[in-house]
């Protein structure tokens, strides 16, 4: 009896799109994103500067840069400190994304503290790190990850939003949440 391993090759296409939103007075698309190979896998990240806050486009750009830099650094050098610890229930790549998001948050906060024009800036974040046949996903806010397979889209993440929390607690319906989120 031979002991052969079965392998399966998967093809992944990655992309993202942004939209400035429904506000006709909004002059700036506050979204930023990047995707491409890293020394250890493939990273896709999208950040949506929070509408209505000062300098959302600055926050989203800072987040993309901080996340990309940490993912590259942590792939090349595994002997570094983890300033936010390691969650043993997560994979190595999921911990990399988690730490990268914490570092992005710290960078945005410090930048906002040092410049009054950036007070209150913020961004949502969604990222996926693909390594071989595994994908780690992390997100904050209401930016989403979907998998498209067989012509159908499947949402992998759940929004971190007040409307979603109200639906989960039974305070409002999903239909009411759609109207609530766009008001």
């Amino acid at each position: 009896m031979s002991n052969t391993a079965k392998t399966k090759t998967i093809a992944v296409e990655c992309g993202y799109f942004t939209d400035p939103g429904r506000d006709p007075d909004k002059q700036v698309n506050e979204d930023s994103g990047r995707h491409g190979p890293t020394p250890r896998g493939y990273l896709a990240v999208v950040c949506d500067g929070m509408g209505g806050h000062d300098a959302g486009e600055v926050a989203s750009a800072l987040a993309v840069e901080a996340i990309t830099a940490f993912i590259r650094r942590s792939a090349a050098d595994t002997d570094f400190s983890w300033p936010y610890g390691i969650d043993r229930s997560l994979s190595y790549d999921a911990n990399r994304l988690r730490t990268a998001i914490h570092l992005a948050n710290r960078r945005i906060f410090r930048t906002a503290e040092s410049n009054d024009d950036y007070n209150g800036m913020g961004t949502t974040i969604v990222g996926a790190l693909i390594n071989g046949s595994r994908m780690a996903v992390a997100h904050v806010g209401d930016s989403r990850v979907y998998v498209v397979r067989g012509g159908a889209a499947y949402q992998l993440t759940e929004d971190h939003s007040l409307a979603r929390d109200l639906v989960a607690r039974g305070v409002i319906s999903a239909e009411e949440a759609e109207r609530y989120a766009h008001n």
Side-chain angles (χ1 to χ4, degrees), residues 43-67:
L43 173 67
V45 61
V46 176
C47 297
D48 179 2
M50 295 191 311
H53 292 279
D54 292 338
E57 72 281 3
V58 174
S60 67
L62 287 171
V64 167
E65 183 55 41
I67 290 167

Side-chain angles (χ1 to χ4, degrees), residues 136-152:
V137 174
H139 72 110
V140 176
D142 60 358
S143 292
R144 300 172 178 168
V145 171
Y146 293 88
V147 168
V148 179
R149 189 177 292 149

Side-chain angles (χ1 to χ4, degrees), residues 8 33 43 46 52 64 72-73 77 84 90-91 93 104 111 141 149 155 168-169:
K8 181 178 180 182
L43 173 67
V46 176
V64 167
R72 288 189 184 285
R73 188 172 74 243
D77 180 11
Y84 298 97
L90 300 176
S91 69
D93 286 335
T111 301
R149 189 177 292 149
Q155 185 175 334
R169 293 187 317 193

Side-chain angles (χ1 to χ4, degrees), residues 27-105:
Q27 300 295 316
V28 176
N29 185 345
E30 298 176 333
D31 305 341
S32 298
R34 186 174 299 156
H35 65 92
T38 70
R40 217 186 117 144
Y42 191 93
L43 173 67
V45 61
V46 176
C47 297
D48 179 2
M50 295 191 311
H53 292 279
D54 292 338
E57 72 281 3
V58 174
S60 67
L62 287 171
V64 167
E65 183 55 41
I67 290 167
T68 302
F70 182 78
I71 294 300
R72 288 189 184 285
R73 188 172 74 243
S74 63
D77 180 11
T78 58
D79 187 28
F80 60 90
S81 67
W82 290 81
Y84 298 97
I86 292 180
D87 182 337
R88 301 247 181 249
S89 69
L90 300 176
S91 69
Y92 179 72
D93 286 335
N95 270 291
R96 290 170 66 205
L97 279 174
R98 177 181 166 271
T99 299
I101 289 172
H102 279 292
L103 291 169
N105 182 60

